[in-house]
């Protein structure tokens, strides 16, 4: 129950069985389960033990008691007769006599004396004896340190006698200086009559060195003697410790195994039984307490029913009975802490209570954990609240729910971001404080999982809102229908049998006065006609939802606690509420229809709120250009996730929200621009570095081409090991035709298929992708024309010359692209709207441009041979030997031309090209023969020309694929002559 009042005039007696007190842990204190008395007894029984000794609010509310006495204690103790106000707080506040008053000893603090420490002294005396014994055994620390210091000083003094040269780390007698310093040669020099003195010096030196050696040996022996015992003890202890640890480890292992077996065999089952028994007892206690609380919870709807019929006496009796139950059985229940004062002031606070209760319900409903299902939270509570708000004409209550939706939507995103950031170790929340900055530090997989989590929670959020608003709207429509039906029934009943209505009203008034529920008194057979009709209408309403599980427990609680023990049907509360609505609902049909429409618009607003918050979240991440840097797969995954969320919200709410779709389209346009620019730049770099030589075709590109079958573009999945086993091939096989291509065209095919695949993944960018793909194909056509036909590759790549092989290879690459244009067109046509089919004309223009380019390359090849024929045949002279050098050179060049293009172009194109070259050859030869006045007269010159032509024909037809070529060499002779 919600109320703004924090105090109650009713005193709360002290009880050890109180529940839900703030200063106590509610989980640690329980009271025995007691049966619930009847909430609404008819009359008190007179048993003095059945009532509490504390004053009753109902019986004593107009009688003065000691609980009404109130006084300001500082004002009462402040002596106004004192002229001087002391600065001390106590004397100033409590009076001057406060300081001199003796404080009586406390009854709650015990007197502490020496006997209280006797037990402690007995426990510590043994430790004190051991401590004293250890002090006597161990030598004083000062004596030990003094002896050690004396020994150390003596050793140091002896060592100082040894010269420093012996102590140097680089001491070596091999060094001449060191040797001379230790053994001077003057002691061993026997010349000059100094033999005796030198011998004495040598002996003295030997003794000195021996003395030094003794000092060193003594110090070494002393050091060894000091540390020998510790060294050998350490070695011995090490071996013993290893053995002990090994045995200990084995013993611990055996002990653990035994403990594990004992725990498994003897403990686990028993502990589980005890645990389950304790859990069951706790559940029974909680269940019984909840049943008791549910029974008391029915009081307020009943009071509302009585107040709607102006039965104030029955309402007061019910309030008094409920107060007694609250003081005896449910004292200390936190959720009922304001129920006493609310029942006293229910008539005045009914409006505020309804608004506050509905606001609390909205918060609890919208802020539930999202792991729960989307069932209605406390459906009967919601229905009763809506009925009450409608009765009080609070028709703007749906605005409260709308405000809670906005707050909850913000909190959902904030909680998701905080939860995700806390799981990422790379983000230091102490350095980066703002959530937006923390979110921008995520990589795409982390941010994508966060967005997926937000969308999933928003979906559950909308489902809950829809379920709740459906209940509210069904109540409003039910009231609208009941108003019409009740009005008709009342008019009919008043006209036919007014006496019966008076009798029913009298019975209802009597029952409510006696404190009984109306549903307890009437059976199914003698229930009033209005109530029967309303109950059947509610059960058959198409918009009504099934009640939650709580609707079954409340009748059971009432049946168990009621003295009559009568079984009530499951529609008790809805039936009672319908009686109240049908009798005292003051709403017009226009108001109810407008309210139903507003509730439906609130569901649409919920969808818009989720979309708007998602757009803000998306834009916050896109500030640093993050979304524009995504690759194709990442953006496709993001687009599919957003499209799925948009479709889910449209399915839930029944209306399209354009904000998120617009943001997705905006990001898609940016993605398309970046997608196109990256691939166009890549194609430009490939073309600028292309040397126009035939490239090997890797197996993955052959698989890519093979996947485009029957006009369907499906990119194959990458296989890790299969591509490495297959070797590259010389040509690309497309529908049993061989295409010799350059490496740029292979990558261009892959890029084109990426465009098509992107359209499948993101259907909203089909038109933009079509335009960009057309631009890419046009760019390849124009740029390849500049590089090959325009000889731009000479400067860009550094080619020495554009050969016929380069031209033929370029032509074949263009033919491969032309082969795929109809497939690409069909792919886009299947994904365009009929009104967008006009955009397909771009493919027609591109096809025409490619054919023109191919024709220009063929003309260029013919022009190359044409210039060669003009150069060679202009010097042709009809003379021996046969064949002439001119014809031998022409045949040689024709063979080179054939060798360059026969492996690149198919046989049909090769034949057509050589027919055009042969026509050019015949034209130039005919012109030269006319210039030389050689005619077909069978003369010597005619024979020489015929022999040369026969040589040319034989060589040309000997080439591969040109055997059956019809050369028609008779056209070289002028027919007029």
């Amino acid at each position: 129950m919600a109320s703004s009042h924090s105090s109650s005039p009713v005193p709360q007696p002290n009880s050890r069985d109180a529940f839900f007190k703030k200063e106590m842990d509610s989980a640690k204190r329980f009271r025995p389960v007691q049966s619930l008395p009847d909430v609404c007894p008819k009359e008190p029984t007179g048993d003095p033990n059945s009532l509490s000794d504390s004053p009753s609010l109902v019986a004593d509310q107009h009688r003065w008691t000691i609980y009404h006495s109130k006084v300001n204690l500082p004002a009462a103790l402040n002596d106004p007769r004192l002229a001087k106000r002391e600065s001390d707080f106590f004397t100033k506040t409590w009076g001057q006599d406060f300081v001199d008053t003796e404080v009586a000893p406390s009854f709650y603090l015990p007197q502490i004396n020496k006997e209280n420490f006797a037990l402690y002294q007995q426990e510590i005396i043994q430790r004190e004896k051991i401590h004293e014994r250890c002090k006597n055994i161990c030598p004083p620390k000062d004596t030990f340190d003094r002896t050690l210091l004396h020994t150390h000083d003596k050793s140091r003094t002896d060592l100082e006698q040894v010269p420093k040269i012996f102590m140097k780390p680089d001491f070596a007698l091999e060094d001449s200086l060191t040797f001379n310093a230790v053994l001077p040669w003057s002691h061993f020099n026997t010349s000059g009559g100094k033999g005796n003195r030198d011998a004495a010096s040598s002996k003295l030196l030997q003794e000195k060195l021996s003395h030094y050696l003794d000092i060193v040996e003594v110090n070494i022996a002393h050091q060894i003697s000091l540390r020998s015992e510790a060294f050998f003890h350490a070695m011995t202890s090490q071996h013993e410790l290893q053995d002990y640890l090994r045995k200990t480890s084995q013993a611990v292992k055996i002990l653990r195994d035994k403990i594990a077996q004992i725990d498994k065999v003897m403990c686990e089952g028993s502990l589980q039984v005890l645990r389950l028994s304790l859990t069951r007892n706790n559940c029974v206690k909680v269940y019984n307490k909840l049943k008791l609380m549910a029974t008391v919870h029915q009081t307020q709807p009943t009071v509302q029913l009585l107040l709607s019929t102006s039965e104030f006496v029955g309402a007061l009796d019910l309030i008094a009975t409920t107060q007694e139950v609250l003081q005896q059985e449910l004292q200390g229940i936190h959720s009922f802490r304001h129920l006493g004062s609310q029942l006293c002031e229910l008539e005045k606070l009914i409006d505020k209570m309804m608004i506050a209760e509905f606001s609390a319900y909205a918060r609890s409903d919208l802020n539930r954990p999202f792991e729960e299902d989307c069932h209605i939270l406390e459906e009967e509570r919601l229905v009763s609240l809506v009925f009450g708000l409608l009765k009080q004409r609070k028709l703007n209550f749906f605005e409260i729910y709308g405000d809670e939706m906005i707050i909850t939507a913000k909190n959902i995103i904030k909680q998701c971001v905080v939860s995700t950031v806390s799981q990422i170790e790379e983000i230091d929340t102490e350095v980066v404080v703002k959530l937006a900055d923390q979110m921008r530090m995520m990589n795409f997989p982390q941010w994508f999982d966060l967005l997926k989590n937000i969308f999933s929670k928003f979906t559950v959020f909308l489902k809950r809102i829809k379920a709740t608003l459906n209940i509210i709207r069904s109540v409003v429509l039910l009231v609208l229908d009941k108003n019409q039906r009740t009005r008709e029934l009342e008019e009919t009943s008043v006209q036919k049998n007014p006496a019966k209505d008076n009798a029913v009203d009298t019975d209802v008034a009597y029952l409510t006065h006696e404190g009984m529920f109306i549903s307890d008194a009437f059976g199914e057979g003698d229930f009033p006609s209005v109530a029967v009709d309303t109950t059947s209408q509610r059960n058959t309403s198409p918009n009504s939802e099934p009640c939650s599980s709580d609707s079954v427990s409340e009748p059971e609680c009432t049946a168990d606690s009621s003295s009559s023990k009568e079984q009530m049907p499951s529609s008790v509360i809805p039936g009672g509420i319908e009686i109240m609505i049908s009798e005292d609902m003051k709403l017009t049909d226009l108001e109810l229809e407008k309210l139903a429409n507003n509730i439906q618009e609130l569901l649409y607003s919920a969808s818009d709120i989720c979309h708007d918050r998602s757009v803000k979240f998306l834009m916050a991440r896109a500030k640093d250009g993050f979304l524009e840097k995504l690759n194709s797969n990442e953006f496709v995954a993001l687009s599919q996730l957003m499209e799925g969320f948009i479709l889910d919200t449209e399915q839930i709410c029944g209306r399209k929200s354009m904000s998120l779709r617009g943001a997705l389209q905006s990001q898609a346009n940016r993605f398309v621009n970046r997608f196109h620019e990256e691939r166009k730049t890549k194609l430009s770099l490939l073309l600028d570095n292309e040397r126009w030589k035939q490239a090997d075709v890797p197996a993955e590109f052959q698989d890519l081409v093979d996947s485009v079958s029957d006009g369907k573009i499906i990119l194959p999945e990458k296989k890790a090991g299969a591509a490495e086993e297959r070797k590259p091939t010389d040509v690309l096989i497309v529908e049993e035709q061989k295409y010799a291509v350059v490496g740029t065209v292979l990558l261009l095919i892959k890029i084109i298929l990426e465009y098509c695949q992107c359209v499948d993944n993101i259907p909203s960018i089909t038109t933009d992708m079509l335009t960009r793909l057309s631009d890419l194909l046009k760019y390849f056509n124009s740029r390849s024309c500049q590089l090959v036909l325009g000889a731009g590759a000479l400067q860009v790549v550094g080619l020495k010359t554009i050969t016929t092989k380069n031209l033929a290879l370029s032509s074949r690459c263009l033919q491969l692209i032309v082969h795929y244009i109809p497939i690409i067109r069909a792919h886009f046509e299947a994904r365009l709207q009929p009104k967008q089919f006009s955009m397909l004309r771009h493919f027609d223009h591109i096809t025409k441009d490619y054919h023109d380019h191919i024709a220009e390359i063929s003309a260029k090849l013919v022009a190359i041979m044409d210039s060669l024929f003009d150069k060679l045949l202009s010097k042709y002279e009809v003379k021996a030997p046969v064949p002439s050098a001119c014809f031998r050179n022409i045949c040689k060049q024709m063979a080179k031309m054939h060798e360059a293009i026969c492996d690149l172009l198919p046989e049909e194109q090769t034949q057509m090209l050589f027919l055009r070259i042969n026509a050019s050859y015949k034209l130039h030869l005919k012109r030269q023969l006319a210039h030389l006045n050689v005619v077909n007269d069978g003369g010597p010159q005619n024979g020489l020309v015929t022999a040369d032509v026969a040589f040319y024909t034989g060589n040309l037809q000997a080439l591969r694929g040109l055997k059956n070529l019809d050369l028609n060499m008779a056209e070289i002779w002028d027919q007029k002559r």
Side-chain angles (χ1 to χ4, degrees), residues 907 911 953 956-967:
E907 185 174 338
Q911 292 177 358
T953 303
L956 188 59
Q957 292 182 343
L959 298 176
R960 177 162 56 89
L962 303 180
K963 180 178 181 181
N964 300 323
L965 198 64
D966 185 12
L967 301 177

Side-chain angles (χ1 to χ4, degrees), residues 99-128:
V99 180
D100 300 333
T101 303
E102 295 183 359
V103 180
S106 175
F107 296 102
Y108 301 100
L109 297 178
Q111 295 294 331
I112 305 300
N113 49 29
K114 190 174 182 181
E115 284 73 14
N116 294 102
F117 298 95
L119 181 62
Y120 173 75
Q121 291 178 350
Q122 293 178 2
E123 293 178 354
I124 207 66
I125 189 170
Q126 186 66 25
R127 300 180 185 178
E128 186 179 2

Side-chain angles (χ1 to χ4, degrees), residues 611 642-651 660-661 664:
H611 281 234
M642 295 176 67
E643 283 286 351
F645 175 69
I646 291 171
L647 293 177
D648 291 341
T649 55
E650 290 176 2
Q651 183 179 3
L660 186 58
R661 192 180 296 275
L664 175 60

Side-chain angles (χ1 to χ4, degrees), residues 538-549:
R538 178 178 178 89
N539 292 334
T540 58
S541 176
N543 295 327
S544 62
E545 296 289 337
C547 297
S548 63
S549 59

Side-chain angles (χ1 to χ4, degrees), residues 564-629:
S564 62
K565 303 294 181 181
E566 294 179 355
Q567 297 296 329
M568 295 187 299
S570 61
S571 60
V572 168
I573 293 179
I577 293 175
E578 287 181 333
I579 294 172
M580 178 188 68
I581 296 301
S582 62
E583 292 180 354
D584 195 21
M585 184 59 62
K586 305 297 183 181
L587 292 174
T588 63
D589 295 348
L590 182 61
E591 291 176 334
L592 292 172
E593 290 174 358
K594 183 178 179 181
L595 180 59
N597 293 333
N598 290 336
I599 293 172
Q600 185 62 36
E601 287 295 329
L602 187 61
L603 179 60
Y604 300 154
S605 300
S607 176
D608 294 337
I609 289 170
C610 293
H611 281 234
D612 292 340
R613 300 312 304 179
S614 300
V615 169
K616 289 184 179 180
F617 177 81
L618 201 66
M619 293 299 102
R621 190 63 184 92
K623 278 188 177 180
D624 54 354
F626 173 79
L627 299 181
E628 298 177 4
K629 299 175 184 178

Side-chain angles (χ1 to χ4, degrees), residues 14 151 157 162 171 241 274 284 363 504 521 537 543 560 601 616 626 647 686 750 760 851 853 872 954 972:
N14 295 328
T151 306
T157 304
V162 182
F171 176 81
L241 181 61
L274 293 176
V284 169
R363 278 194 297 271
V504 170
Q537 177 62 27
N543 295 327
D560 293 339
E601 287 295 329
K616 289 184 179 180
F626 173 79
L647 293 177
L686 291 173
K750 184 177 180 180
D760 288 340
H851 282 303
H853 190 182
L872 294 177
I972 64 174

